[in-house]
Amino acid sequence: MAAESNLEQHFILRVQNAELASKLRGWLRDQATVDDISLVFDQCANPRLGALTLDGVQHNVVLQDLPTVIESYKTLDDANLVKVADIGQVLVVVDPELADQPMPLECPDGVTPPMRKARSRHFRPPINLPADMMRDAVNDVIEMLNGRAPDGYSFHDVEEEFVVDPMSGEGRWQQVKPGKQRAAAVTAATADAGGGSGRQPRAAKRKPKAAGSDDEDDYIEGMTDSD
């Protein structure tokens, strides 16, 4: 005998009628006991369609598939979460005003607002492109990886700098002017030739020997940029 699984079975109840949804939410909040309630599915015609009876009033229900499977968790200490079920279906209680309209068996929306129209946005049919177009795109990517521009295109190096407006204090990226680029290149080349200072190094100079000193090495000092 196979061991029974501890995984619970959950589904989402979605009520279209606002008044009925408020009544059910109040019962759940107050943990009220409801006697006159039943949920029956049509096992012969379509097992996805059924009827929910509340206080003697019958409401049509349809079992729809969610776009994706979501997980359900529970906590006992408000700190640790334990997964208890996978949810892949939603039970929709149809609004009486929309009872005559056919209901799809696949839910177009997810549970959260970002998943609105998820089935049409994320599961759209694949785009079929001609083989020659795909081949040209692959060749263009190979050309760019090799440092060459595709046919009909050219590469341009653009240097930008972040400039802050002294009046407003706001900054934005601006293209460096060609003259400023040449000046910066000359300055960088001069700095590289002079060891990073932008000036040529100068040799040491021997100062006059002080009277009464026998060690003239004490008076050899390197010239500074200000000398």
Side-chain angles (χ1 to χ4, degrees):
M1 180 177 179
E4 296 182 359
S5 174
N6 294 327
L7 196 65
E8 301 178 4
Q9 295 182 357
H10 293 181
F11 65 89
I12 298 175
L13 181 64
R14 180 172 292 173
V15 182
Q16 294 181 345
N17 185 270
E19 183 179 355
L20 180 59
S22 178
K23 180 186 296 186
L24 291 176
R25 191 176 294 109
W27 288 346
L28 294 175
R29 183 178 57 251
D30 300 337
Q31 297 183 359
T33 302
V34 182
D35 297 330
D36 189 7
I37 181 173
S38 63
L39 177 62
V40 180
F41 287 94
D42 188 357
Q43 300 296 334
C44 298
N46 192 342
R48 293 288 191 103
L49 303 179
L52 175 66
T53 304
L54 289 173
D55 293 338
V57 181
Q58 182 174 310
H59 305 273
N60 295 335
V61 298
V62 56
L63 187 63
Q64 296 181 341
D65 294 333
L66 289 171
T68 59
V69 177
I70 62 176
E71 298 177 346
S72 177
Y73 291 81
K74 69 167 48 174
T75 178
L76 300 177
D77 53 5
D78 293 334
N80 300 306
L81 297 176
V82 180
K83 178 182 176 180
V84 293
D86 289 325
I87 304 176
Q89 293 179 319
V90 54
L91 185 62
V92 181
V93 181
V94 183
D95 192 338
E97 297 180 358
L98 305 176
D100 297 336
Q101 299 181 6
M103 293 293 294
L105 299 181
E106 293 183 345
C107 185
D109 306 322
V111 178
T112 58
M115 291 296 290
R116 180 175 175 82
K117 297 183 179 180
R119 191 175 297 277
S120 60
R121 290 188 293 110
H122 298 285
F123 302 101
R124 57 174 179 250
I127 302 176
N128 295 324
L129 297 176
D132 55 347
M133 183 182 297
M134 296 294 296
R135 183 168 51 254
D136 293 341
V138 172
N139 293 333
D140 292 343
V141 173
I142 294 176
E143 290 293 323
M144 289 186 289
L145 292 177
N146 293 332
R148 297 185 297 269
D151 295 339
Y153 295 88
S154 60
F155 291 151
H156 298 277
D157 292 334
V158 178
E159 183 178 356
E160 294 181 342
E161 62 179 351
F162 191 78
V163 180
V164 179
D165 188 354
M167 300 299 295
S168 62
E170 299 179 355
R172 61 190 182 93
W173 289 97
Q174 295 181 358
Q175 183 176 353
V176 179
K177 298 181 180 179
K180 192 172 183 180
Q181 290 181 353
R182 289 194 295 268
V186 172
T187 303
T190 305
D192 293 339
S197 61
R199 297 183 179 182
Q200 294 291 340
R202 301 176 63 182
K205 182 178 68 175
R206 185 182 300 274
K207 289 187 177 181
K209 182 179 179 181
S213 175
D214 295 334
D215 190 2
E216 62 180 355
D217 293 338
D218 296 338
Y219 302 95
I220 298 178
E221 299 178 357
M223 291 294 293
T224 62
D225 292 337
S226 60
D227 291 342

